[in-house]
Amino acid sequence: MLARCAFLVLFAAASFQGTPGHKFVDAECALEVELPGSDWVLSEQHSQVTGKVAVRIYAPGSDIGTRFTVVQLPAALAGSGLKARAEQLRAVAEEEISVTAGEIGGVAAERMEYAARGFFAIEYGVWREGLFQVIQVSAPAADWEDAEKGAALRAIFDSVRFVPRAAGAAPAGFDATSPEEVRALRGRAGAESRPFAIRSHDLALDVEPAAGRLACRDRFVVEALADGVESLELVQSQLDIDAITAAGGSLPFEADGAGAAGEGGGLRIQLQAPLERGQIIELVYQAHADDFFFTMEQKLVAEVEVFGQVREHSSFSSHVIYYPIDRWNDASVSISITVPEGYTAVSGGEAVPPETRDGRITFAYRTEERRIRQLPFGFAIGRYEAARGRTEGGLDVEVYFPAGAEERGAAYLDVALRAGALFQRIMGPLPWKRVAICVVDPERKETGVSLPGQILLSGGFFKDLEGVEPDGSRLNDPAMMGYLLVPDELSHQWNFYAAPLPNELAEGVSTYTNLLFVEQEGGHAEYLEGVGVCAGAYLDAVAPEDDVALANPRLYQSDAYRQVGFCKVPAILHGLRQRLGDEAFFAAWKRAFTTLREPEEAYAEFQAAFEEASGQDLRSFFDGWFFSAGYALVAVRFAATEEHGAPAVEVTLRQTQNTGPFEIDCEVEVETAGGEKVRFPAALRAVEETFTWPLPALPVKVTVDPDGTALLRVAGA
């Protein structure tokens, strides 16, 4: 799922200092503020910090409908500042938002105000010490209109003062969990016997958008893979189960009721008699939801909340497990969806001609291939129009959009066809020939998700692509996010379904293929800009003590998950591309995506593909960047010397971090007394490396990684 934008990142909690006079000193954001009453407190539930990134929310009690908020971001994550924030909000704001010049705490700032969904907010944006801060007061519109309450809310801004930042403690070391320990953790996490397999699902959905109702019948076939299978342990969401039968007889079952959207709950079905290895049985599952509306409570700034809804204006399911699946979720699937005439129902798979009867129309889709899927098959239902095209490689792309959105539908199709053609060239053909992109309208927040053979996108922040040019330096700006939304989710058809990479690696791969798309559309310089944004976002946002190895299962519970998955991975892959060169890198890239089949073996198969294509032993590279936390801390020494009687420079690079050493390929720029700037490639393979390079004149300055694309910090920089 696309989640690049800095205003949408999740973080971890921190502390504050309050005084009896309602004045709060926020050390994390280096400011003090006086709030209206003694009941105002820091909301620990919603206020979080990781590295230099912070979200701090103060409110009167537990209700944060009225609140004072500070969001702090490194420059690499802030995009164009308050202008980017205004662009995001345009979908919910009641009027056009204007960003004007202002001042807060004696510092020049940007300012905007807007009304949305019964609330009114004023925000200031301030750039301070390489950081961007959004300072907001938000409250119900009626409170602003009340003379006394409105004056108290506006006075909050007058009380803001910026204070010096406290000197930080010495940097903590990185998590020193060894690559061998991380591999062992992955082995334990993936070690699970499989007593049975669901071979096929025959799904029939009956949906009433105006009533919000969905009924599901699933006729599924189970094969025993072991002797003595007495029950089936499955996963399903919180639909009301009407019956589960086999051979016409009812089967007892237990549902634990924990099946919130995106987290399916347990479903245990007791069989009539134990199954022996190879025995096959067909079961029928029938369930319904009188109000199909599934949400998941997340942190305040999370960008997705609705995982499934049936509503008259837009119906869809992304993460709702509305039919029972096993953990491997690798069955063939046939799905039919019956809706009132005038609606179109879309899912993944090969389309079957629709049938109309008694004012209702049934759309059907088939997927014969069996492969592991990370999410269930979803659907989208609406009064759709469609645009269709085919890539040069034969991938059929369909875009479904509401009436009146023809330009947006055409723009999505154009970008999808160009991105799809690129992905086919570098990752090989998809095992399926059709991908359907559907515009949906969740009742809360936004969505962007890739499902088997299908992509769901909400309008929201991603409406207008006209005039957007590829710009790697603006990955966090809403216009670029909209431009890359389709390539990002389309890439998951390869990296999440055709090759079932673990989620943290798949998200980073999609970011990297976004950059490859930017490179195709805008050139190599824009690609490098984008790599630099990603590397900077990771380095600036993750505190060493919070960092976790990419392959460590603990990353899923870490506050650094997004920065490591979305931002660190593309910089790692760029480093690997630099090391191997384009020919070997892209040969290995394609091999990885055409051979990988088991999520538990993804890192090993990924490494094997690159080793085979390049002929290099990459164990140390993967140990450092995939199975260890952190990045390189590099001390630099240089001295003038001579080589064959001509000026030269001797540069020594030493890694000083508590982990590694990391294997790094980067550039070193040397400035000479004559003003020339000369670049040289440097390959770091040990704790310390010394390089000697010829120069046209004596050296006066050395810069390591001048483009900022490597995962390193220079000591003293």
PDB file of all heavy atoms in Angstrom, residues 550-566:
ATOM      1  N   LEU A 550      15.855  -5.239   8.496  1.00  0.00           N
ATOM      2  CA  LEU A 550      14.739  -5.411   7.573  1.00  0.00           C
ATOM      3  C   LEU A 550      14.126  -6.802   7.691  1.00  0.00           C
ATOM      4  O   LEU A 550      12.898  -6.958   7.704  1.00  0.00           O
ATOM      5  CB  LEU A 550      15.219  -5.164   6.142  1.00  0.00           C
ATOM      6  CG  LEU A 550      14.195  -5.409   5.039  1.00  0.00           C
ATOM      7  CD1 LEU A 550      13.088  -4.360   5.094  1.00  0.00           C
ATOM      8  CD2 LEU A 550      14.874  -5.406   3.679  1.00  0.00           C
ATOM      9  N   ALA A 551      14.939  -7.845   7.764  1.00  0.00           N
ATOM     10  CA  ALA A 551      14.438  -9.222   7.756  1.00  0.00           C
ATOM     11  C   ALA A 551      14.019  -9.717   9.131  1.00  0.00           C
ATOM     12  O   ALA A 551      13.514 -10.838   9.256  1.00  0.00           O
ATOM     13  CB  ALA A 551      15.509 -10.164   7.186  1.00  0.00           C
ATOM     14  N   ASN A 552      14.191  -8.905  10.168  1.00  0.00           N
ATOM     15  CA  ASN A 552      13.841  -9.318  11.520  1.00  0.00           C
ATOM     16  C   ASN A 552      12.314  -9.282  11.680  1.00  0.00           C
ATOM     17  O   ASN A 552      11.696  -8.239  11.470  1.00  0.00           O
ATOM     18  CB  ASN A 552      14.492  -8.381  12.539  1.00  0.00           C
ATOM     19  CG  ASN A 552      14.417  -8.905  13.953  1.00  0.00           C
ATOM     20  OD1 ASN A 552      13.478  -9.605  14.322  1.00  0.00           O
ATOM     21  ND2 ASN A 552      15.412  -8.562  14.755  1.00  0.00           N
ATOM     22  N   PRO A 553      11.674 -10.399  12.060  1.00  0.00           N
ATOM     23  CA  PRO A 553      10.215 -10.374  12.255  1.00  0.00           C
ATOM     24  C   PRO A 553       9.754  -9.308  13.236  1.00  0.00           C
ATOM     25  O   PRO A 553       8.604  -8.868  13.185  1.00  0.00           O
ATOM     26  CB  PRO A 553       9.909 -11.783  12.769  1.00  0.00           C
ATOM     27  CG  PRO A 553      11.031 -12.636  12.269  1.00  0.00           C
ATOM     28  CD  PRO A 553      12.244 -11.744  12.273  1.00  0.00           C
ATOM     29  N   ARG A 554      10.645  -8.861  14.117  1.00  0.00           N
ATOM     30  CA  ARG A 554      10.294  -7.825  15.090  1.00  0.00           C
ATOM     31  C   ARG A 554      10.025  -6.475  14.436  1.00  0.00           C
ATOM     32  O   ARG A 554       9.439  -5.580  15.060  1.00  0.00           O
ATOM     33  CB  ARG A 554      11.422  -7.710  16.124  1.00  0.00           C
ATOM     34  CG  ARG A 554      11.096  -6.852  17.330  1.00  0.00           C
ATOM     35  CD  ARG A 554      12.119  -7.049  18.430  1.00  0.00           C
ATOM     36  NE  ARG A 554      13.453  -6.661  18.036  1.00  0.00           N
ATOM     37  CZ  ARG A 554      13.911  -5.410  18.070  1.00  0.00           C
ATOM     38  NH1 ARG A 554      13.128  -4.430  18.466  1.00  0.00           N
ATOM     39  NH2 ARG A 554      15.155  -5.151  17.720  1.00  0.00           N
ATOM     40  N   LEU A 555      10.426  -6.304  13.177  1.00  0.00           N
ATOM     41  CA  LEU A 555      10.213  -5.028  12.495  1.00  0.00           C
ATOM     42  C   LEU A 555       8.734  -4.664  12.452  1.00  0.00           C
ATOM     43  O   LEU A 555       8.377  -3.490  12.489  1.00  0.00           O
ATOM     44  CB  LEU A 555      10.784  -5.090  11.075  1.00  0.00           C
ATOM     45  CG  LEU A 555      10.640  -3.821  10.232  1.00  0.00           C
ATOM     46  CD1 LEU A 555      11.408  -2.659  10.854  1.00  0.00           C
ATOM     47  CD2 LEU A 555      11.111  -4.066   8.803  1.00  0.00           C
ATOM     48  N   TYR A 556       7.848  -5.680  12.366  1.00  0.00           N
ATOM     49  CA  TYR A 556       6.412  -5.402  12.269  1.00  0.00           C
ATOM     50  C   TYR A 556       5.872  -4.692  13.500  1.00  0.00           C
ATOM     51  O   TYR A 556       4.877  -3.979  13.431  1.00  0.00           O
ATOM     52  CB  TYR A 556       5.631  -6.703  12.052  1.00  0.00           C
ATOM     53  CG  TYR A 556       5.739  -7.224  10.642  1.00  0.00           C
ATOM     54  CD1 TYR A 556       6.649  -8.213  10.324  1.00  0.00           C
ATOM     55  CD2 TYR A 556       4.934  -6.717   9.628  1.00  0.00           C
ATOM     56  CE1 TYR A 556       6.756  -8.693   9.032  1.00  0.00           C
ATOM     57  CE2 TYR A 556       5.028  -7.190   8.339  1.00  0.00           C
ATOM     58  CZ  TYR A 556       5.950  -8.177   8.041  1.00  0.00           C
ATOM     59  OH  TYR A 556       6.059  -8.636   6.761  1.00  0.00           O
ATOM     60  N   GLN A 557       6.513  -4.884  14.642  1.00  0.00           N
ATOM     61  CA  GLN A 557       6.072  -4.216  15.864  1.00  0.00           C
ATOM     62  C   GLN A 557       6.896  -2.959  16.153  1.00  0.00           C
ATOM     63  O   GLN A 557       6.718  -2.314  17.174  1.00  0.00           O
ATOM     64  CB  GLN A 557       6.183  -5.168  17.060  1.00  0.00           C
ATOM     65  CG  GLN A 557       5.115  -6.243  17.103  1.00  0.00           C
ATOM     66  CD  GLN A 557       5.364  -7.342  16.093  1.00  0.00           C
ATOM     67  OE1 GLN A 557       6.473  -7.874  16.011  1.00  0.00           O
ATOM     68  NE2 GLN A 557       4.346  -7.701  15.328  1.00  0.00           N
ATOM     69  N   SER A 558       7.777  -2.601  15.232  1.00  0.00           N
ATOM     70  CA  SER A 558       8.692  -1.493  15.460  1.00  0.00           C
ATOM     71  C   SER A 558       8.113  -0.179  14.951  1.00  0.00           C
ATOM     72  O   SER A 558       7.416  -0.138  13.934  1.00  0.00           O
ATOM     73  CB  SER A 558      10.030  -1.762  14.762  1.00  0.00           C
ATOM     74  OG  SER A 558      10.817  -0.599  14.692  1.00  0.00           O
ATOM     75  N   ASP A 559       8.454   0.907  15.644  1.00  0.00           N
ATOM     76  CA  ASP A 559       8.056   2.230  15.176  1.00  0.00           C
ATOM     77  C   ASP A 559       8.814   2.636  13.919  1.00  0.00           C
ATOM     78  O   ASP A 559       8.438   3.599  13.252  1.00  0.00           O
ATOM     79  CB  ASP A 559       8.307   3.262  16.271  1.00  0.00           C
ATOM     80  CG  ASP A 559       7.496   2.965  17.515  1.00  0.00           C
ATOM     81  OD1 ASP A 559       6.294   2.667  17.387  1.00  0.00           O
ATOM     82  OD2 ASP A 559       8.065   3.002  18.621  1.00  0.00           O
ATOM     83  N   ALA A 560       9.883   1.913  13.606  1.00  0.00           N
ATOM     84  CA  ALA A 560      10.681   2.237  12.421  1.00  0.00           C
ATOM     85  C   ALA A 560      10.217   1.469  11.188  1.00  0.00           C
ATOM     86  O   ALA A 560      10.859   1.556  10.146  1.00  0.00           O
ATOM     87  CB  ALA A 560      12.154   1.923  12.696  1.00  0.00           C
ATOM     88  N   TYR A 561       9.082   0.749  11.282  1.00  0.00           N
ATOM     89  CA  TYR A 561       8.682  -0.138  10.180  1.00  0.00           C
ATOM     90  C   TYR A 561       8.614   0.592   8.842  1.00  0.00           C
ATOM     91  O   TYR A 561       9.174   0.149   7.838  1.00  0.00           O
ATOM     92  CB  TYR A 561       7.327  -0.789  10.485  1.00  0.00           C
ATOM     93  CG  TYR A 561       6.774  -1.540   9.299  1.00  0.00           C
ATOM     94  CD1 TYR A 561       7.281  -2.790   8.970  1.00  0.00           C
ATOM     95  CD2 TYR A 561       5.786  -0.993   8.492  1.00  0.00           C
ATOM     96  CE1 TYR A 561       6.812  -3.480   7.867  1.00  0.00           C
ATOM     97  CE2 TYR A 561       5.315  -1.673   7.385  1.00  0.00           C
ATOM     98  CZ  TYR A 561       5.822  -2.919   7.074  1.00  0.00           C
ATOM     99  OH  TYR A 561       5.368  -3.582   5.973  1.00  0.00           O
ATOM    100  N   ARG A 562       7.911   1.696   8.809  1.00  0.00           N
ATOM    101  CA  ARG A 562       7.720   2.367   7.518  1.00  0.00           C
ATOM    102  C   ARG A 562       9.026   2.915   6.964  1.00  0.00           C
ATOM    103  O   ARG A 562       9.307   2.807   5.774  1.00  0.00           O
ATOM    104  CB  ARG A 562       6.685   3.480   7.648  1.00  0.00           C
ATOM    105  CG  ARG A 562       5.291   2.939   7.869  1.00  0.00           C
ATOM    106  CD  ARG A 562       4.258   4.025   7.671  1.00  0.00           C
ATOM    107  NE  ARG A 562       2.925   3.458   7.808  1.00  0.00           N
ATOM    108  CZ  ARG A 562       1.852   3.948   7.213  1.00  0.00           C
ATOM    109  NH1 ARG A 562       1.961   4.992   6.426  1.00  0.00           N
ATOM    110  NH2 ARG A 562       0.674   3.400   7.395  1.00  0.00           N
ATOM    111  N   GLN A 563       9.820   3.537   7.818  1.00  0.00           N
ATOM    112  CA  GLN A 563      11.062   4.110   7.311  1.00  0.00           C
ATOM    113  C   GLN A 563      12.019   3.027   6.818  1.00  0.00           C
ATOM    114  O   GLN A 563      12.697   3.208   5.809  1.00  0.00           O
ATOM    115  CB  GLN A 563      11.725   4.959   8.395  1.00  0.00           C
ATOM    116  CG  GLN A 563      10.964   6.235   8.712  1.00  0.00           C
ATOM    117  CD  GLN A 563       9.886   6.031   9.767  1.00  0.00           C
ATOM    118  OE1 GLN A 563       9.572   4.909  10.146  1.00  0.00           O
ATOM    119  NE2 GLN A 563       9.316   7.122  10.247  1.00  0.00           N
ATOM    120  N   VAL A 564      12.087   1.900   7.534  1.00  0.00           N
ATOM    121  CA  VAL A 564      12.968   0.816   7.105  1.00  0.00           C
ATOM    122  C   VAL A 564      12.425   0.162   5.836  1.00  0.00           C
ATOM    123  O   VAL A 564      13.155  -0.059   4.865  1.00  0.00           O
ATOM    124  CB  VAL A 564      13.136  -0.223   8.228  1.00  0.00           C
ATOM    125  CG1 VAL A 564      13.900  -1.456   7.725  1.00  0.00           C
ATOM    126  CG2 VAL A 564      13.874   0.391   9.412  1.00  0.00           C
ATOM    127  N   GLY A 565      11.116  -0.150   5.826  1.00  0.00           N
ATOM    128  CA  GLY A 565      10.546  -0.839   4.672  1.00  0.00           C
ATOM    129  C   GLY A 565      10.441   0.053   3.448  1.00  0.00           C
ATOM    130  O   GLY A 565      10.941  -0.279   2.376  1.00  0.00           O
ATOM    131  N   PHE A 566       9.815   1.217   3.601  1.00  0.00           N
ATOM    132  CA  PHE A 566       9.539   2.070   2.449  1.00  0.00           C
ATOM    133  C   PHE A 566      10.759   2.858   1.978  1.00  0.00           C
ATOM    134  O   PHE A 566      10.884   3.146   0.797  1.00  0.00           O
ATOM    135  CB  PHE A 566       8.416   3.065   2.788  1.00  0.00           C
ATOM    136  CG  PHE A 566       7.056   2.451   2.893  1.00  0.00           C
ATOM    137  CD1 PHE A 566       6.583   1.974   4.102  1.00  0.00           C
ATOM    138  CD2 PHE A 566       6.228   2.356   1.793  1.00  0.00           C
ATOM    139  CE1 PHE A 566       5.327   1.417   4.216  1.00  0.00           C
ATOM    140  CE2 PHE A 566       4.968   1.804   1.887  1.00  0.00           C
ATOM    141  CZ  PHE A 566       4.512   1.325   3.101  1.00  0.00           C
TER     142      PHE A 566
END
